[in-house]
Amino acid sequence: MPLGVVKHVCMLLSSKVCCTSISTLLPYCSPCCHGLQGLPYSWSAALPAVLISMSLGLQAHGVINVFSSWAGGQLGALALPWPASFAALHLLFFSAHYLFASQTAHVGALYAAFCSLMMSAGVPPQLAALSLAYNVNLFGSLTHYASGQAAVYLGAGFLKTEDVFLQGAACSVAALLLWSSVGMAWWKILGWY
C-alpha cells in the first residue's frame, strides 16, 4: 500500500477532530483516543456513530481515492479475467468489513470505489452494482460491531465475543459459497452477465 495512504490514515486518526468527537460521545475516552477498554457495553451502541464519521473522514481526506487508484493499478497489472476480478474484489469488500463499525460506514466509504473497480475490470455494471449491494447484507453478523443490532445482542449478554466471531466466520463461509454458486447461476438466468 502506498505510503501516502498510511500518511492520510495516520493524519486522520491523530487529528483533533477525531479525538474531540470521540471525547464528546465517550467522556471516559482519553484525548489521544485510547481507553475504550473497560467501558460498559452500553457505550458500544454510541461508538458506531463516531466510526461512521471517521469513515466519512477517510473519504474526505482522499484515502479512499488513493486506495482505489492503487488497487486499480494492482488489479490491472494482474490482467485477470473479469470473473476472477469479481470474486477477488467481493472477498476483499467482504473482508474489509472487519475494519468498519457499521454497514452504513462501509457502504459510504467503499461501495462506489469497489463498484468502479469491478466495472473497470470488465464486470457487467448491473452485476457489479447489485452483487455488491447483496454482499452488504451478508456481513451484518460478521462481528459484534458489524451492524447496529449486533452491539445490542452482545451488550445484552446473549452472546460472547468469541462466539460472535466463530459463528460469524462459519456463516460467512456458508453464505459466500451459496451466493457464489446458486447466486451466480441465478444471475446468469436473469441475464446479468
Side-chain angles (χ1 to χ4, degrees), residues 50-143:
V50 174
L51 296 173
I52 289 171
S53 298
M54 287 172 51
S55 74
L56 295 175
L58 288 171
Q59 206 166 19
H61 281 80
V63 174
I64 303 302
N65 290 336
V66 171
F67 169 77
S68 295
S69 298
W70 173 79
Q74 298 297 316
L75 196 60
L78 292 174
L80 297 172
W82 76 260
S85 297
F86 177 79
L89 286 169
H90 265 291
L91 285 174
L92 184 58
F93 185 74
F94 188 88
S95 301
H97 194 62
Y98 280 108
L99 305 174
F100 288 90
S102 77
Q103 292 155 313
T104 305
H106 188 167
V107 170
L110 296 180
Y111 180 86
F114 272 78
C115 197
S116 65
L117 283 171
M118 281 191 183
M119 289 188 288
S120 69
V123 177
Q126 185 175 13
L127 180 62
L130 292 175
S131 64
L132 279 173
Y134 300 145
N135 191 329
V136 171
N137 291 307
L138 299 179
F139 50 61
S141 63
L142 193 58
T143 65

